[in-house]
Amino acid sequence: MLKRVIQIAFLFIGGALGFVFLPPLYEIINLSSSPWLNNPYTSVAIGAILLFLLSFSLSDYCVRLINWMEDVLFKIPAADLFFGTLGLIVGLIVAYFVGFAIERINIPIITDFLPIILSIILGYLGFRVGFKKREELSQIFSKSGVGSKKKPGDNGQSAPQEKTLYKLLDTSVIIDGRIADIATTGFIEGVLVVPQFVLTELQHIADSSDSLKRTRGRRGLDMLKRLQDGKSVKVMISEEDFDDVQEVDLKLVRLAKKMGAKILTNDFNLNKVCELHHVQVLNINELANAVKPVVIPGEDMQVVVIKDGKEQNQGVAYLDDGTMIVIEGGRNYIGQAITVTVTSVLQTSAGRMIFAKPKDEQVA
């Protein structure tokens, strides 16, 4: 259908071009004296037929170009497109008034070409400024809207509008799944934003031929569904993308800067990259370490020795939250529940380790 529309458009364009350009061409090639050739109807018919025949070889390329432009436009968020178009219109209006002033110069070369060049340059600059400054422009519009509405009984003063807090989710924290439990508790404020490029990465993992990766990817998609179905937090899918960047982590950093958002992750490397770019990070692992019960040297606790440690005569046990307890002289108690006394606590970037000794040995 689109191909037929393009061919019909070529037909009408050819007729218009024939009407405008064929009569001067007849004069150049000395055919203007022919009455049946040099008349408007013949010129329109010849131009329409020539361009219609040309459309058979060009229509496929035109269809591809239109489809490509549709794909590009559909990927652009509506706000970006609106403010970019608004900037383009402003740029063209400025170019029109400048060109109107240039026409007063009466220099043929300048008045013929300079307005066209100004329209292209100012139109492009207007589009880029509107596209890049859309956040500031939207804030200006929102502030003007809030300022114009005053609540009765507040002495003419409007209540300050709260800024929306955005938190970007990366792939690792979605697959981890603890974010869904944290969101259910109501401790997370604002909007959780899932970029489309993170969803694409999750889909690739879920479609992997490796069974372990496939399971992790599907778990991540299930966690997203659980977050969306929950009532405690709002989840938003962002279509924003950066085609000049391939790495998902760098895309997250750029999107966080653009939105003024924080990044939710449990990826140690992404945590360091965000610190270098001065982007705020909320690390789930750090949160988990912070809410673990405080253990004081000299405190007694009941544990089950699971296995032997790296050093001679050591045993290893674990708390319910996964904290490792290294028990000096605990190798002889493997498989038994014993009471141990904490001797020291070591906090590392990977977590917390507790060192202890069996209580009965200390008493002895």
Side-chain angles (χ1 to χ4, degrees), residues 169-172 195-202 204 241-242 245-255 263 270:
L169 302 184
D170 80 327
T171 310
S172 62
Q196 181 59 49
F197 52 82
V198 170
L199 272 179
T200 303
E201 187 180 41
L202 264 179
H204 288 325
D241 201 351
F242 304 94
V245 179
Q246 298 297 325
E247 295 80 5
V248 173
D249 288 354
L250 291 181
K251 289 185 178 185
L252 274 170
V253 171
R254 287 185 59 176
L255 184 57
I263 295 180
L270 177 57

Side-chain angles (χ1 to χ4, degrees), residues 3-4 7 10 51-60:
K3 186 175 180 180
R4 296 297 180 192
Q7 289 177 339
F10 268 83
L51 220 61
F52 181 74
L53 294 175
L54 188 62
S55 69
F56 286 100
S57 58
L58 296 179
S59 57
D60 290 335

Side-chain angles (χ1 to χ4, degrees), residues 110-182:
I110 295 179
T111 55
D112 290 341
F113 296 102
L114 193 56
I116 299 174
I117 296 173
L118 282 174
S119 298
I120 295 173
I121 294 175
L122 293 178
Y124 173 77
L125 289 177
F127 180 83
R128 293 297 297 174
V129 169
F131 185 83
K132 290 292 184 181
K133 299 292 184 179
R134 59 193 176 281
E135 296 292 339
E136 299 178 17
L137 292 172
S138 61
Q139 289 178 5
I140 291 173
F141 290 141
S142 62
K143 286 179 181 178
S144 62
V146 171
S148 61
K149 297 179 181 178
K150 298 180 180 179
K151 294 182 179 179
D154 60 358
N155 297 326
Q157 295 181 351
S158 59
Q161 187 181 23
E162 294 185 0
K163 183 180 179 181
T164 304
L165 302 175
Y166 294 108
K167 296 177 177 64
L168 302 180
L169 302 184
D170 80 327
T171 310
S172 62
V173 81
I174 296 173
I175 294 175
D176 178 87
R178 287 178 291 177
I179 184 63
D181 297 325
I182 297 172

Side-chain angles (χ1 to χ4, degrees), residues 76-102:
I76 299 176
D80 298 353
L81 196 60
F82 172 76
F83 285 109
T85 306
L86 187 63
L88 173 64
I89 294 171
V90 172
L92 291 176
I93 292 174
V94 173
Y96 171 78
F97 284 110
V98 174
F100 183 76
I102 290 174

Side-chain angles (χ1 to χ4, degrees), residues 7 65 99 117 150-151 180 183 190 224 236 238 248-249 253 271 285 296 304 306 333 352-353 360 364:
Q7 289 177 339
L65 178 62
I117 296 173
K150 298 180 180 179
K151 294 182 179 179
L224 276 183
M236 182 180 77
S238 173
V248 173
D249 288 354
V253 171
N271 206 124
N285 290 334
I296 303 172
V304 177
I306 303 297
Y333 298 96
R352 184 174 57 176
M353 291 181 62
D360 56 354

Side-chain angles (χ1 to χ4, degrees), residues 270-286:
L270 177 57
N271 206 124
K272 292 298 181 184
V273 171
C274 291
E275 289 178 1
L276 292 174
H277 286 273
H278 304 290
V279 173
Q280 286 187 288
V281 183
L282 302 176
N283 195 308
I284 299 297
N285 290 334
E286 292 179 359

